């Protein structure tokens, strides 16, 4: 059976010695043991580890019932959340959708996101769109008080109630929230919204395989059973104490390179469908490892487009970069480059080749050029873009992230630095109880 995630580290040769790599592999095994036995920092948040194999059938069937209900008359679904509450769902929907989904395929509802920013224009223009459509909302928040999604949901809830009435609003709003506490849970109980639970032991950036991700992905028309099955298969593979474990291999090599002065990891994709997979990955690794003065800085580029903007720096800038390429072995579509009798562009040597052949050669040529320019390259390959393979990829990255963070000896599951800006924002916005902080801040800058 074809492996869903394959790692190739040949293009790191010369940057890390065999002895160094062996040392970091031993550290990765120790970190894996800590994850598996739950003895590390943050062990209260390990619910994601066996989530694929233990997903309850009732969750799937309840999601499917909402899909069936809303498919009758709703053509715009607004998903309200920020960070892990939206990036997983958006990354999967973007990867699996037709690139021009909103212009063709009108039988499927349009999925849009809100509450991931505080832009007045964005949310006002969202209201413009809502006025043209039949609208429902999935609001995702463990607490219900995170500023960005809470403000957006207040606006969307008000519109739905005014447009359809409060009784119909109950049908058109679903909350994904805490099981028993929090402002959103209280509101959902009061109004009678259908709800799904965000498990207490699963943090936001690890939540794509909970209803946080599964519900929007299913509403977009995709097979969440296949997604879960792909993740469940990878769950078994990433548990193995073996050098063939892709999570162990990836965590070991990226930390070995970090020890040699590489400070920035670029996640590279060659398919624009994967752009938001990179955005999801940046939060996963940045929020899990970036603490205590440690951690590779996660960044991303989409080639070949970004070769025309970032290629010069990558080739000849400061030599602190690692490239990790997420490569797709087979395209889901076939498109051949035609012959042009006049050959005015000089490209007839490409006639008869597929677009994907050209993309693959661009990938290989770029890898060689950047390697020769001093940039080590890690290759992560999946067979194709589908639900099963994406489920495997999500789980692989989650497990590798846990292992990698424990190699650094940081807690992968907290984010104390995130609270700093929130306190400042609350004070400057006039939240009761933050008056002294507001006075202090207003004298700055």
């Amino acid at each position: 059976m074809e492996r869903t995630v394959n790692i190739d580290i040949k293009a790191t040769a010369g940057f890390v010695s065999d002895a160094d790599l062996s040392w970091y592999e031993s550290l990765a095994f120790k970190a894996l043991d800590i994850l598996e036995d739950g003895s590390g920092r943050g062990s209260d948040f390990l619910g994601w580890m066996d989530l694929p194999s233990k997903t309850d059938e009732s969750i799937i069937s309840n999601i499917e019932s909402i899909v069936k209900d809303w498919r009758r008359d709703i053509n715009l679904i607004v998903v309200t959340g920020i960070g892990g509450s939206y990036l997983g769902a958006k990354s999967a929907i973007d990867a699996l959708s037709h690139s021009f989904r909103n212009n063709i395929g009108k039988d499927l509802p349009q999925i849009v996101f809100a509450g991931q920013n505080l832009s007045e224009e964005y949310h006002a223009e969202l209201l413009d769109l809502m006025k043209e459509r039949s609208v429902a909302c999935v609001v995702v928040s463990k607490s219900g008080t995170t500023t960005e999604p809470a403000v957006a949901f207040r606006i969307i809830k008000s519109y739905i109630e005014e447009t359809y009435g409060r009784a119909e609003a109950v049908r058109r709003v679903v909350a994904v929230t805490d099981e028993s506490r929090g402002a959103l849970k209280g509101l959902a109980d009061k109004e009678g919204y259908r709800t799904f639970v965000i498990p207490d032991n699963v943090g936001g950036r690890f939540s794509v395989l909970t209803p946080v991700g599964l519900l929007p992905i299913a509403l977009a028309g995709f097979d969440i059973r296949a997604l879960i099955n792909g993740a469940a298969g990878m769950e078994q593979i990433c548990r193995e104490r073996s050098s063939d474990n892709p999570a162990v291999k990836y965590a070991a090599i990226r930390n070995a390179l970090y020890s040699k002065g590489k400070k920035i990891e670029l996640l590279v994709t060659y398919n624009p469908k994967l752009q938001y997979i990179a955005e999801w990955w940046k939060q996963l690794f940045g929020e899990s490892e970036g603490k205590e003065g440690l951690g590779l800085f996660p960044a991303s580029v989409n080639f070949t487009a970004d070769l025309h903007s970032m290629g010069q720096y990558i080739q000849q800038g400061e030599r602190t970069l690692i490239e990790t390429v997420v490569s797709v072995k087979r395209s889901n579509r076939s498109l051949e480059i035609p012959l042009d009798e006049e050959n005015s562009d000089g490209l007839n040597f490409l006639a008869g080749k597929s677009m994907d052949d050209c993309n693959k050669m661009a990938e290989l040529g770029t890898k060689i050029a950047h390697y020769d320019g001093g940039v080590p390259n890690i290759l992560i390959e999946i067979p194709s873009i589908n639900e099963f393979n994406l489920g495997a990829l999500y789980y692989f990255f989650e497990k590798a992230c846990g292992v990698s963070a424990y190699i650094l000896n940081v807690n992968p599951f907290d984010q104390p630095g995130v609270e700093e800006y929130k306190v400042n924002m609350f004070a400057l916005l006039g939240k009761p109880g933050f008056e002294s902080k507001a006075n202090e801040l207003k004298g700055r800058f």
Side-chain angles (χ1 to χ4, degrees), residues 84-85 88-89 92-93 140 176 207-218 224 227:
S85 295
I93 293 168
V140 184
V176 184
S207 68
V208 64
L209 298 170
T210 73
V212 170
L214 297 177
L215 177 57
I217 293 166
I224 56 173
L227 189 83

Side-chain angles (χ1 to χ4, degrees), residues 299-346:
S300 64
V301 287
N302 185 260
F303 292 162
T304 61
D306 287 338
L307 285 171
H308 296 261
S309 57
M310 295 296 292
Q312 174 60 42
Y313 185 94
I314 297 167
Q315 188 70 40
Q316 295 183 322
E318 189 175 12
R319 302 296 77 189
T320 54
L321 301 175
I322 303 167
E323 279 188 322
T324 297
V325 176
V326 177
S327 183
V328 181
K329 187 175 181 180
R330 295 184 299 273
S331 173
N332 288 325
R333 301 290 296 270
S334 179
L335 183 61
E336 189 175 286
I337 299 169
L339 181 73
D340 184 333
E341 293 297 340
E342 295 185 6
N343 196 27
S344 56
D345 54 14

Side-chain angles (χ1 to χ4, degrees), residues 10 30 75 83 89 112 114 225 255 277 285 307 315 378 395 402 405 410 426 443:
K10 289 195 292 291
K30 290 178 183 176
N75 55 26
V112 297
R225 293 177 186 272
N255 278 280
I277 294 288
F285 279 87
L307 285 171
Q315 188 70 40
I378 303 166
Y395 190 88
V410 299
F426 289 153

Side-chain angles (χ1 to χ4, degrees), residues 242-255:
S242 161
S243 57
D244 289 332
N245 181 330
V248 165
K249 184 180 288 190
Y250 178 48
I253 189 60
R254 66 193 301 275
N255 278 280

Side-chain angles (χ1 to χ4, degrees), residues 424 426-430 434-443:
N424 290 350
F426 289 153
L428 292 168
L429 286 171
F434 289 78
E435 291 82 3
S436 62
K437 184 69 172 178
N439 291 333
E440 172 197 329
L441 293 173
K442 286 175 181 177

